[in-house]
Amino acid sequence: MIKYITHRPLWFNILVAIALILIFFLIFMLSLNWITKHGEAKTVPSVTGKHISEVQLLLKDKGFETVIQDSVYYDSLPPGIVVKQVPESDQVVKVNRTVYVVINRFVAPDVSMPNLIGFSFRNAEMTLHSQGLRLGDTTYRADFAKNSVLEMIHQGNPVKAGDKIKVGSTIDLILAGGLGEEDKAMPRLVGFSLAEARILLEQNGLVLGSSTPIGNVRDMENAFVVRQNPMTKTTDGVQIRIRPGQMVDVWLSVDPPIVDSVRQAPLPQNP
């Protein structure tokens, strides 16, 4: 072959090369329509609202490829449902075209629990909605800040701000119901630990206010209540009465107090 080429004039070899190039180019152009399937088109079927497994089979049967482009989350839709497609349905496109779909996520994403403590019920409801959370049951507890959020509950357990929970979760709220209608005798807290005093206050529908340590108090919960405000009795020995929902402040010490059975030691004066 090489001997055949070298024994021919140069101009002849150039002409042969040009002829071969033209032949290959002509073959390529004639086969281009077959390669690209020019003139073959199909209508894109509607796959929105269908499960992704069903969509993949349907599009494959119609001559299309399926690519999951993105995922979103709607708690009102089943997992894996196609919520958007590109190209849209009923568009006429070439065969072997790729259809991109957006599906509803199989697992709900996490969201940080917002801090609703102290919010009004209306603001708390709006904040939950903006975070993709649902408002559950609302219960009331005696407290002076009426209709404000006292506690947040998720699946029966208290939840605090910043905790990770699933989008679409239901949050129950404990709201302040205001002061009770009937007053009752102020319970004696002096001599109890802070943990015990807290339980006693809850049983009486009262709210623990400030807890002020006296001296070197490290374990607040096990420290002793040595003073309280309001006191159980006045300096004249008259029983003090209090309405449910009111706050009670306490002072704490590591040493147990000597409790007078008749009256309580006066509160410390502010300097």
Side-chain angles (χ1 to χ4, degrees):
M1 181 68 180
I2 296 177
K3 184 177 180 181
Y4 175 79
I5 295 175
T6 55
H7 281 74
R8 296 290 181 178
L10 178 60
W11 60 268
F12 179 82
N13 291 332
I14 293 175
L15 289 177
V16 171
I18 293 174
L20 291 174
I21 292 173
L22 290 175
I23 292 171
F24 283 123
F25 180 75
L26 182 61
I27 294 173
F28 173 76
M29 292 302 295
L30 291 175
S31 62
L32 189 60
N33 287 342
W34 175 78
I35 294 173
T36 60
K37 296 188 178 181
H38 181 70
E40 296 185 42
K42 287 189 176 182
T43 302
V44 179
S46 175
V47 296
T48 304
K50 294 181 172 62
H51 194 273
I52 184 61
S53 58
E54 178 186 356
V55 168
Q56 290 173 327
L57 294 175
L58 175 62
L59 291 178
K60 183 179 180 181
D61 184 61
K62 296 291 185 179
F64 298 99
E65 295 183 9
T66 307
V67 171
I68 299 176
Q69 186 179 39
D70 199 0
S71 62
V72 293
Y73 183 75
Y74 297 101
D75 57 4
S76 58
L77 295 176
I81 293 296
V82 173
V83 297
K84 184 180 179 181
Q85 66 177 88
V86 178
E88 296 181 356
S89 61
D90 298 330
Q91 288 192 9
V92 179
V93 297
K94 293 180 180 180
V95 295
N96 294 334
R97 177 76 181 270
T98 299
V99 177
Y100 298 91
V101 296
V102 177
I103 67 171
N104 196 37
R105 293 181 61 165
F106 286 90
V107 179
D110 289 332
V111 65
S112 295
M113 180 65 201
N115 186 13
L116 305 179
I117 304 300
F119 279 33
S120 68
F121 171 72
R122 191 65 173 168
N123 288 338
E125 185 179 19
M126 294 173 61
T127 302
L128 287 174
H129 180 73
S130 67
Q131 296 294 319
L133 301 172
R134 295 177 176 178
L135 175 64
D137 296 331
T138 55
T139 55
Y140 288 86
R141 190 170 68 202
D143 189 276
F144 71 95
K146 191 172 183 178
N147 286 328
S148 64
V149 177
L150 301 178
E151 196 170 351
M152 307 175 294
I153 306 295
H154 174 52
Q155 295 180 344
N157 298 312
V159 60
K160 60 182 183 297
D163 287 350
K164 296 296 183 181
I165 56 179
K166 298 295 182 183
V167 171
S169 297
T170 299
I171 304 299
D172 301 327
L173 298 179
I174 297 178
L175 304 175
L179 299 179
E181 296 297 330
E182 298 181 1
D183 59 8
K184 58 175 63 179
M186 176 65 208
R188 180 182 295 275
L189 305 179
V190 175
F192 291 99
S193 68
L194 178 61
E196 294 169 335
R198 194 191 306 277
I199 295 174
L200 185 59
L201 288 173
E202 290 179 356
Q203 291 174 344
N204 286 272
L206 302 174
V207 180
L208 177 63
S210 64
S211 303
T212 305
I214 300 175
N216 187 24
V217 176
R218 295 183 179 180
D219 186 357
M220 297 278 287
E221 291 298 311
N222 291 315
F224 294 98
V225 177
V226 293
R227 294 186 179 92
Q228 67 182 76
N229 183 31
M231 299 183 294
T232 56
K233 296 181 180 180
T234 66
T235 55
D236 298 329
V238 178
Q239 178 68 57
I240 294 177
R241 303 189 69 81
I242 190 171
R243 295 171 65 186
Q246 287 188 251
M247 298 181 66
V248 180
D249 300 327
V250 296
W251 282 256
L252 305 171
S253 174
V254 294
D255 299 317
I258 299 176
V259 182
D260 192 315
S261 60
V262 177
R263 73 180 55 171
Q264 180 180 311
L267 295 171
Q269 300 296 320
N270 293 328

